[in-house]
Amino acid sequence: MWALPAQPPNQTLRGFWDPQAAEWGPVAIEAKQRKSRGEEKKKKKKKKKSSLTKAAAAASGGGMEGQSQHRAPEREGSHNYDIESTDGSGGLWRRNGSSSGALLRYNDSGGGRSGSAGEPLLRKRTMNTTSQIAIVGANVCPIESLDYEVVENDLFKQDWRSRKKKQIFQYIVLKWTLVLLIGLLTGLVGFFNNLAVENIAGFKLLLTGNLMLKERYLTAFFAYGGCNLVLAAAAAAICAYIAPAAAGSGIPEVKAYLNGVDAYSILAPSTLFVKIFGSILGVSAGFVLGKEGPMVHTGACIANLLGQGGSRKYRLTCNWLRYFKNDRDRRDLITCGSAAGVAAAFRAPVGGVLFALEEAASWWRSALLWRAFFTTAVVAVVLRSLIEFCRSGKCGLFGQGGLIMFDLSSTVATYSTPDLIAIIILGIIGGIFGGLFNFLLDKVLRVYSIINERGAPFKILLTITISIITSMCSYGLPWLAACTPCPVDAVEQCPTIGRSGNFKNFQCPPGHYNDLASLFFNTNDDAIRNLFSNGTESEFHMSTLFIFFTAVYCLGILTYGVAVPSGLFIPVILAGATYGRIVGTLLGSISDLDPGLFALLGAASFLGGTMRMTVSVCVILLELTNDLAMLPLVMLVLLISKTIADNFNKGVYDQIVVMKGLPYMEAHAEPYMRHLVAGDVVSGPLITFSGVEKVGNIVHALRFTGHNGFPVVDEPPLTEAPELVGLVTRSHLLVLLNGKMFMKDQLKTSGSFVLQRFGAFDFAKPGSGKGLKIQDLDFTDEEMEMYVDLHPVTNTSPYTVVETMSLAKAAILFRALGLRHLLVVPKTPDRPPIVGILTRHDFVEEHIHGLFPNLNPHKFHSTSMGG
């Protein structure tokens, strides 16, 4: 086995990932620093004793004792230890023995370009200390990478040769069946969410309204605020104690997952449960948040649950389901699930497909497009059928369906040059407000992280505080508005009593309505419907719109980040529609467009300014409003607002991904990467296995490292010279070791007995983190001295790049192929056959900056192309 350093031999090697030195995302690192300050004093007394213990262990030749004192949280066999060399020579785990007998043999001639003459930048360190931990929902969790590469080993090849047409047909039929089920279940959940919200919120508003009709205003406030408080506390409690990963919208986590970042409980059944019921409780509590973002996460959770390939634990498995025990098929299903979530939230099937394509998915193909479209079509049919059933009045206070459907098709959208000027102004305003919204949201989330890290009680307390503020605003601010006489030609009942509508009575006498209460004292969906309503030029006063916009803008920023499932679509649409109406009212003398159309364009401009989505938002809004004539105007306002906002910061979901410390890889390489090559950022030390390796060596490497992939190199006497065989993964090694098919001699076999003993599905990825761990395996001293042939389970076709390849090209290749490991091979002969392995964290800016402190990534932006 080889250990090739990536730094000069006179430097001390620190092996693998040190969780104490890990660099997190901006919010995560602040949380970690605050937590560590309180522990520093306790550790100082133990530090000197620990150092002496390590030194003594290294001097005695048993350098593995005491190596596992610091370790990261474990999942799916992931074990991260700080392995430190104390002999000053850069060697690791030295022991005497021949070729493969040495567990980690140091080779002074290897190691890539580090320290070589002509290197443009001074390399500071070799170890990759970038985060393997990130904030998921409201908690800090260990993260791993997904692997979309096909492991082409002997078992895989035998499995494909043995597959018959019947099995291939079963796989295709089952995949279409699964996307059908995803559509059905997501549609049912979306309908259930809206049914529950409309009835719970409707009961709360009806109770409050009846008390106000009796002029019991104080009692009405306590009833209203008390209902909100109980609902908010319940939502926060189940989120904080059952599934913290369900907090927030979930779109950043789903986006990161589809990019190749996996974290425990992102898509777990408990997360699905809390996402559904927490979203219902949170929206019913009157928070300025939506259920649209959580519906995306819900659809992804449903897809993940169906795509687990069954469960051996609960005996819910069969031969058919085993085909989906891999990251590639799960990725496709989760992409369809995210599209179904948008379709269920907005009744926008085409918009759901485009959302998955534009925002969620990092990898796309034509077959996936068909399946996603089929899934969203199923969602649309399910929702349509259930809403028609509810129109008969069998669904309680369901009203108009709860789902946002603002039919503006009756409005004639004829526009001229002055209208275009007004639309350009809307786009500019949306870009400015969107950039400011993202900036303020970033600051608020950093403050909330300080509170949330203190534990579940503080999360609940924060949620209760925001609930009280929201209740005071939504009940108190309408008192500032004057009562307005009901219009004589009103189509709807005025004032509306006991149901949703444009004209809320609130404290006004009969025949009058409170226009601010019509916005605050409704569900968020009904408030948007009121703002989008056409033919209501004089319904809302200018002061009302200014007050409502200020309140919604601020409450939307304050609410997102509490420990409840919460989406940003609704706050953004509400605020955008409000200032759209303001602009429409102010420019009414020069524009012929209806204020309701201005509200739609304002919502589009704010969505473009915050989320930076164009095509999907455009189609979603057109499907919502059923007004195809607005297409050119919506396109124009989206492009302007996105262009303006891009000058300030990133889109809100991209910003949250970075803030949480999720190692998301963009479609383009950063400009400074063109000034580096792959060999510059390879982290060391590198551990390799011989093609026929001693069991003890493999066990020790698995126990004392967190690596997931190990290069396999055949050495003499197996070959005349060292040659790269391929890559073997940790999970495959664990299954192979568990089978205990060991040999007494180091001989290369045909592998036939391994192929007879195991099938390809024995090495399939387990669901929900139930795979083997090295602690589950026990070996006798005799077995530890035996050998095992790794050739049958080694991926003989790993992706490789030469060490002199541009890092920018390597990053694009890594992301486009959905890799977990990218092998770096030497350019010149007479060297070890592999220089190192590039993983996702090697492309992270913090890691590169740690290697080259003098490299300023920002100075290249003006002179280099980003794509």
Side-chain angles (χ1 to χ4, degrees):
M1 190 172 3
W2 296 73
L4 305 182
Q7 67 178 29
N10 60 347
Q11 298 181 18
T12 301
L13 285 175
R14 295 179 60 84
F16 318 116
W17 178 61
D18 181 358
Q20 304 301 323
E23 297 175 5
W24 296 7
V27 172
I29 191 170
E30 291 174 9
K32 178 68 175 178
Q33 289 172 347
R34 286 190 297 271
K35 185 177 180 181
S36 63
R37 288 190 196 110
E39 301 175 354
E40 286 180 356
K41 295 182 180 179
K42 297 180 182 179
K43 290 183 179 179
K44 283 182 179 179
K45 296 181 180 180
K46 299 180 180 180
K47 189 175 182 181
K48 186 177 294 184
K49 182 178 179 181
S50 176
S51 300
L52 292 173
T53 303
K54 285 185 179 182
S60 63
M64 294 179 192
E65 288 78 14
Q67 301 289 354
S68 58
Q69 293 181 9
H70 306 293
R71 76 185 214 181
E74 299 176 6
R75 183 173 76 87
E76 295 185 14
S78 174
H79 313 283
N80 299 302
Y81 295 85
D82 179 20
I83 301 172
E84 186 171 334
S85 173
T86 56
D87 60 5
S89 63
L92 274 170
W93 299 358
R94 292 178 175 273
R95 54 174 273 177
N96 296 326
S98 60
S99 63
S100 65
L103 179 60
L104 290 177
R105 185 170 62 250
Y106 184 81
N107 188 327
D108 289 342
S109 64
R113 301 178 71 255
S114 300
S116 62
E119 192 172 69
L121 298 164
L122 178 62
R123 178 165 169 151
K124 181 180 178 182
R125 62 182 180 177
T126 181
M127 185 184 67
N128 188 339
T129 59
T130 51
S131 172
Q132 293 189 25
I133 294 181
I135 295 179
V136 178
N139 268 20
V140 175
C141 300
I143 59 173
E144 294 185 0
S145 294
L146 300 169
D147 195 352
Y148 301 138
E149 181 183 1
V150 177
V151 179
E152 294 186 356
N153 53 28
D154 292 345
L155 288 166
F156 172 82
K157 295 172 184 176
Q158 182 192 47
D159 176 65
W160 270 103
R161 284 194 298 265
S162 62
R163 284 195 184 185
K164 300 177 181 179
K165 290 184 178 180
K166 178 183 177 182
Q167 292 174 309
I168 298 174
F169 178 75
Q170 287 176 349
Y171 168 78
I172 296 173
V173 170
L174 183 58
K175 197 162 190 177
W176 282 99
T177 303
L178 286 177
V179 297
L180 171 66
L181 292 175
I182 291 170
L184 287 172
L185 292 176
T186 306
L188 289 172
V189 170
F191 174 78
F192 172 72
N193 278 6
N194 286 279
L195 180 67
V197 168
E198 288 289 308
N199 280 279
I200 295 173
F203 170 79
K204 175 188 69 178
L205 295 173
L206 189 61
L207 173 65
T208 308
N210 290 335
L211 290 172
M212 295 194 73
L213 288 174
K214 299 176 183 179
E215 297 186 358
R216 298 170 60 183
Y217 299 122
L218 187 60
T219 305
F221 170 70
F222 283 114
Y224 178 73
C227 289
N228 287 345
L229 194 64
V230 171
L231 292 170
I238 63 173
C239 185
Y241 286 107
I242 298 178
S249 73
I251 291 178
E253 284 82 0
V254 172
K255 182 175 180 177
Y257 185 93
L258 294 177
N259 188 257
V261 180
D262 188 17
Y264 181 68
S265 77
I266 279 185
L267 304 172
S270 59
T271 304
L272 173 62
F273 171 81
V274 174
K275 209 72 182 181
I276 295 172
F277 292 97
S279 176
I280 291 171
L281 294 172
V283 175
S284 301
F287 282 125
V288 182
L289 53 82
K291 51 189 177 293
E292 286 67 30
M295 271 306 303
V296 175
H297 197 175
T298 299
C301 288
I302 292 173
N304 181 68
L305 190 62
L306 292 174
Q308 287 289 337
S311 171
R312 293 178 183 175
K313 179 179 178 181
Y314 299 105
R315 298 184 179 182
L316 297 174
T317 185
C318 65
N319 289 334
W320 284 29
L321 290 175
R322 64 184 183 176
Y323 294 126
F324 298 94
K325 287 182 173 289
N326 60 80
D327 289 332
R328 296 181 307 281
D329 285 316
R330 291 181 191 174
R331 172 190 60 188
D332 289 354
L333 294 176
I334 290 169
T335 302
C336 293
S338 64
V342 174
F346 291 108
R347 277 177 66 186
V350 180
V353 175
L354 293 175
F355 173 86
L357 171 62
E358 182 179 6
E359 183 68 15
S362 297
W363 186 86
W364 199 263
R365 59 194 176 98
S366 58
L368 182 57
L369 176 67
W370 276 104
R371 291 191 179 97
F373 186 73
F374 175 71
T375 308
T376 57
V378 171
V379 172
V381 172
V382 170
L383 291 178
R384 181 77 177 183
S385 303
L386 293 174
I387 288 175
E388 288 297 326
F389 171 77
C390 283
R391 291 190 188 279
S392 60
K394 300 179 180 178
C395 299
L397 300 173
F398 197 60
Q400 297 187 28
L403 298 161
I404 306 176
M405 190 62 187
F406 319 108
D407 193 349
L408 298 179
S409 58
S410 59
T411 305
V412 180
T414 57
Y415 42 88
S416 57
T417 303
D419 297 325
L420 295 178
I421 295 174
I423 291 165
I424 292 172
I425 294 174
L426 263 184
I428 295 172
I429 293 174
I432 295 172
F433 278 148
L436 179 63
F437 185 91
N438 292 359
F439 172 79
L440 294 175
L441 186 65
D442 177 86
K443 301 301 180 185
V444 169
L445 289 178
R446 292 174 186 274
V447 175
Y448 283 179
S449 71
I450 302 174
I451 301 172
N452 288 335
E453 73 180 24
R454 295 174 178 240
F458 287 89
K459 295 177 183 178
I460 298 173
L461 183 61
L462 174 62
T463 305
I464 290 174
T465 303
I466 300 301
S467 175
I468 294 173
I469 295 173
T470 303
S471 297
M472 292 175 65
C473 289
S474 56
Y475 187 88
L477 290 177
W479 291 88
L480 301 177
C483 294
T484 306
C486 290
V488 180
D489 56 346
V491 178
E492 298 183 9
Q493 177 187 354
C494 180
T496 53
I497 299 174
R499 63 180 184 85
S500 60
N502 283 36
F503 307 104
K504 284 290 182 180
N505 179 263
F506 205 64
Q507 90 288 8
C508 296
H512 293 72
Y513 72 95
N514 187 317
D515 57 348
L516 193 52
S518 299
L519 299 176
F520 273 119
F521 236 60
N522 263 320
T523 61
N524 293 328
D525 291 356
D526 285 328
I528 295 174
R529 187 176 287 109
N530 293 342
L531 289 169
F532 279 10
S533 60
N534 60 324
T536 54
E537 294 84 353
S538 58
E539 179 180 340
F540 300 103
H541 295 94
M542 187 63 67
S543 59
T544 294
L545 295 174
F546 273 111
I547 292 173
F548 186 71
F549 170 73
T550 304
V552 167
Y553 193 92
C554 296
L555 288 175
I557 294 172
L558 291 176
T559 305
Y560 191 85
V562 299
V564 296
S566 53
L568 283 172
F569 274 100
I570 290 300
V572 169
I573 292 176
L574 270 174
T578 306
Y579 74 69
R581 262 201 176 256
I582 293 174
V583 173
T585 304
L586 291 175
L587 301 180
S589 58
I590 65 171
S591 175
D592 296 329
L593 292 179
D594 188 88
L597 296 182
F598 269 106
L600 169 65
L601 295 172
S605 70
F606 202 23
L607 284 169
T610 53
M611 301 180 183
R612 315 295 160 82
M613 294 183 289
T614 53
V615 180
S616 56
V617 167
C618 181
V619 174
I620 287 172
L621 289 176
L622 293 178
E623 289 184 282
L624 284 178
T625 57
N626 194 26
D627 192 358
L628 190 59
M630 293 295 292
L631 176 61
L633 301 183
V634 174
M635 292 173 62
L636 178 62
V637 78
L638 279 169
L639 291 172
I640 294 173
S641 62
K642 182 184 185 303
T643 303
I644 296 293
D646 280 340
N647 293 307
F648 300 112
N649 44 41
K650 290 185 175 182
V652 63
Y653 295 129
D654 295 323
Q655 192 170 278
I656 293 173
V657 164
V658 174
M659 195 186 329
K660 287 176 174 285
L662 297 167
Y664 184 88
M665 293 193 69
E666 299 288 351
H668 63 274
E670 295 297 332
Y672 65 85
M673 290 185 177
R674 302 190 184 281
H675 299 265
L676 300 170
V677 297
D680 287 333
V681 299
V682 168
S683 302
L686 175 68
I687 300 176
T688 69
F689 291 134
S690 175
V692 182
E693 186 60 79
K694 184 176 287 187
V695 173
N697 294 346
I698 300 174
V699 171
H700 288 313
L702 294 179
R703 283 178 178 171
F704 292 95
T705 75
H707 299 336
N708 182 75
F710 302 88
V712 177
V713 178
D714 272 345
E715 307 171 70
L718 298 179
T719 56
E720 295 181 359
E723 64 179 37
L724 178 64
V725 178
L727 186 80
V728 63
T729 63
R730 170 184 285 269
S731 60
H732 287 188
L733 287 172
L734 289 171
V735 174
L736 190 62
L737 291 175
N738 190 45
K740 296 192 175 183
M741 303 185 68
F742 306 146
M743 306 175 294
K744 292 185 178 180
D745 299 319
Q746 187 181 10
L747 298 174
K748 183 176 180 180
T749 66
S750 63
S752 58
F753 61 96
V754 174
L755 299 178
Q756 294 172 2
R757 168 68 172 79
F758 296 104
F761 293 111
D762 293 323
F763 294 87
K765 183 175 181 177
S768 301
K770 302 299 182 183
L772 279 174
K773 298 180 180 179
I774 188 62
Q775 287 88 353
D776 301 332
L777 307 181
D778 293 319
F779 303 95
T780 64
D781 292 339
E782 182 181 0
E783 288 174 335
M784 294 286 277
E785 295 299 320
M786 299 178 74
Y787 293 87
V788 60
D789 190 356
L790 303 181
H791 291 91
V793 297
T794 299
N795 179 11
T796 55
S797 304
Y799 287 96
T800 61
V801 296
V802 70
E803 61 182 335
T804 55
M805 173 183 274
S806 164
L807 186 63
K809 286 187 176 182
I812 293 172
L813 177 69
F814 191 94
R815 198 250 196 200
L817 297 175
L819 303 180
R820 186 169 186 171
H821 307 99
L822 183 60
L823 275 58
V824 182
V825 297
K827 185 178 182 180
T828 57
D830 301 326
R831 293 174 56 190
I834 181 168
V835 173
I837 300 179
L838 289 174
T839 63
R840 177 175 296 270
H841 292 275
D842 292 313
F843 297 101
V844 175
E845 182 176 321
E846 288 78 12
H847 168 60
I848 297 173
H849 182 69
L851 294 176
F852 306 104
N854 296 327
L855 176 66
N856 182 9
H858 304 289
K859 72 179 182 179
F860 298 109
H861 289 178
S862 59
T863 58
S864 302
M865 294 290 291

